[in-house]
Amino acid sequence: MQEIKVGIGDLNIAKSPYKLITLGLGSCIGIAIFDITNKIAGLSHIMLPDSKNFSSNNNPLKYADTAIPLLIDKLLDSGANKRNLKAKIAGGASMFAFADKSSTLDIGTRNSEAVKTILKQLNIPIISEDLGGNKGRTMIVDPDTGIVTLKIAGVGIKEM
Amino acid sequence: MENFLSDFQIDALKEIGNIGSGNAATALSQMINKKVDMAVPQLDILGFNDMIKRVGNEDDFVVAVLLKVFGDAPGNILFLIKQEEAERFSELMMFGMTEFNEELFISIFQEIGNILGNSYLNAVTQISGLNMVTSVPAVAIDMLAAVMTSTFMEAEQYSDEILAIDTRFYIEDNEIAGNFFYVPKPGALNTILNKLGL
């Protein structure tokens, strides 16, 4: 079965039998949004919480606040029904454990909070999440079953 | 991001990278008592996906050592080595000891990161007269894309195009190779260039 790759700071959609995959989420977050009735799904790989804090926000797909609405638009344009949309999210790790926790501005945590806030504002329920920790994740999204498969470094394979 | 650098400035920064990497290679060679070669340093301003491709595939497993740089020109130093090569490398560092566990493995790479990072940074501070110190090293054994994105985000490189000075080290006639990145925070390179009158 063919997998459509989503790069860093990118998004895409797929219909069954295709799957979506994004590799090596660290502090970044993968947001999978499904319409299981119409067997269509989208996946966004964001790097930063909020485009408004940055002057050079030239790629809207990098930021949670701009990427998620674009992902939803793309799903609706391709025949998804807004009322069916549900989200599964993964990532937001802090990869390097430093002793001086206080001095690190933890992008992973800020990304996680931003993604949850934005999905709530857009009335998309989060049905499953795997956030935080200190391990990288690869995310595979199947529009046919609504299953997200995570490959977690040093841990193994997990379904959500 | 800082792609307003002139060719002359880029050459100067590469030369500093060259001296820093040379220092680091010498220190490493003395420590393991083996020949260490290095490639000519590169200064690249690339998109994320291209920067990662310079090292390998996004889901390649690497041992990554991160040192934060504090002071006049802050940023991050990242040393990357593919996992299977890291295992061979750690054997070189064991000096015949046989008791081996993950804790020791991590501590070996902390020490390598320390030596490489600080000998690099010493060269930069000596040339520029700037004050810079490093944090204790942190080690992650994980996917290449995960450690690289985290390193650049940590260095506040939020633009679409990211900047790094990097070189490759070759140990034992190319059997083991590692990538060494200096990832400056925005403005840090200008501080170095200004100090040098460039």
Side-chain angles (χ1 to χ4, degrees):
Chain A
M1 207 172 300
Q2 215 173 329
E3 287 174 343
I4 299 167
K5 196 172 146 188
V6 177
I8 297 161
D10 196 7
L11 61 78
N12 216 328
I13 59 164
K15 289 180 182 173
S16 171
Y18 292 95
K19 291 182 183 181
L20 292 155
I21 181 166
T22 197
L23 302 170
L25 293 159
S27 57
C28 301
I29 298 200
I31 303 131
I33 300 182
F34 296 91
D35 174 348
I36 194 74
T37 314
N38 291 305
K39 297 201 180 298
I40 178 168
L43 177 62
S44 160
H45 181 143
I46 62 102
M47 311 176 72
L48 290 163
D50 189 352
S51 63
K52 290 187 279 291
N53 293 340
F54 302 105
S55 51
S56 58
N57 52 339
N58 22 14
N59 175 11
L61 305 184
K62 268 169 46 178
Y63 304 93
D65 66 326
T66 41
I68 295 172
L70 287 168
L71 181 64
I72 292 168
D73 286 349
K74 205 164 174 179
L75 284 164
L76 299 182
D77 285 348
S78 304
N81 187 327
K82 177 86 169 55
R83 280 176 306 175
N84 295 339
L85 296 183
K86 292 188 170 59
K88 293 185 178 182
I89 56 179
S94 59
M95 301 300 299
F96 294 96
F98 282 101
D100 55 333
K101 274 263 185 288
S102 56
S103 74
T104 52
L105 99 173
D106 186 352
I107 298 252
T109 308
R110 285 170 48 207
N111 279 339
S112 303
E113 283 163 7
V115 166
K116 286 189 197 174
T117 308
I118 290 149
L119 286 169
K120 194 172 182 191
Q121 283 166 0
L122 298 166
N123 292 317
I124 312 277
I126 298 169
I127 52 172
S128 184
E129 61 177 63
D130 191 73
L131 301 170
N134 58 4
K135 292 287 173 198
R137 297 164 171 94
T138 281
M139 196 174 180
I140 302 159
V141 176
D142 185 353
D144 188 50
T145 58
I147 290 172
V148 171
T149 307
L150 295 178
K151 290 182 186 169
I152 307 172
V155 176
I157 291 173
K158 184 171 166 180
E159 282 188 355
M160 63 184 281
Chain B
M1 51 169 295
E2 306 192 35
N3 44 359
F4 46 80
L5 295 168
S6 70
D7 287 350
F8 181 67
Q9 288 174 320
I10 289 175
D11 283 345
L13 290 167
K14 274 197 214 169
E15 184 52 28
I16 293 173
N18 202 10
I19 296 165
S21 314
N23 232 14
T26 307
L28 183 62
S29 168
Q30 283 168 354
M31 183 178 178
I32 59 177
N33 203 18
K34 303 266 189 237
K35 195 165 146 235
V36 176
D37 294 317
M38 54 170 247
V40 177
Q42 304 276 313
L43 185 147
D44 285 308
I45 301 165
L46 294 170
F48 261 100
N49 294 297
D50 292 331
M51 190 66 89
I52 289 166
K53 269 194 212 111
R54 283 185 48 88
V55 184
N57 300 316
E58 289 114 316
D59 55 350
D60 284 347
F61 269 84
V62 293
V63 177
V65 193
L66 182 74
L67 284 93
K68 290 195 247 179
V69 178
F70 303 103
D72 294 332
N76 284 334
I77 284 173
L78 179 71
F79 178 65
L80 293 175
I81 181 164
K82 298 233 168 89
Q83 196 173 9
E84 58 272 27
E85 296 181 34
E87 279 160 17
R88 271 186 275 147
F89 192 6
S90 64
E91 282 164 24
L92 288 181
M93 299 283 294
M94 291 294 287
F95 305 110
M97 288 185 285
T98 49
E99 286 271 327
F100 196 69
N101 55 43
E102 197 186 336
E103 204 181 324
L104 187 57
F105 185 74
I106 287 177
S107 121
I108 285 171
F109 283 96
Q110 277 182 323
E111 195 48 32
I112 291 166
N114 236 341
I115 288 163
L116 289 176
N118 281 297
S119 40
Y120 184 94
L121 204 64
N122 279 346
V124 178
T125 54
Q126 274 171 21
I127 297 163
S128 63
L130 294 166
N131 287 316
M132 287 183 262
V133 290
T134 66
S135 70
V136 249
V139 177
I141 303 167
D142 215 299
M143 288 177 266
L144 179 61
V147 295
M148 281 188 78
T149 50
S150 300
T151 301
F152 282 91
M153 291 300 102
E154 167 70 40
E156 296 165 23
Q157 288 215 20
Y158 301 142
S159 325
D160 291 347
E161 303 249 283
I162 52 172
L163 181 150
I165 300 172
D166 80 297
T167 190
R168 271 175 84 74
F169 289 113
Y170 301 94
I171 301 147
E172 286 257 88
D173 298 322
N174 301 357
E175 276 187 32
I176 304 168
N179 284 73
F180 182 89
F181 284 87
Y182 171 55
V183 184
K185 285 196 182 181
L189 289 185
N190 277 343
T191 308
I192 296 173
L193 289 166
N194 285 342
K195 188 79 184 185
L196 295 170
L198 301 169

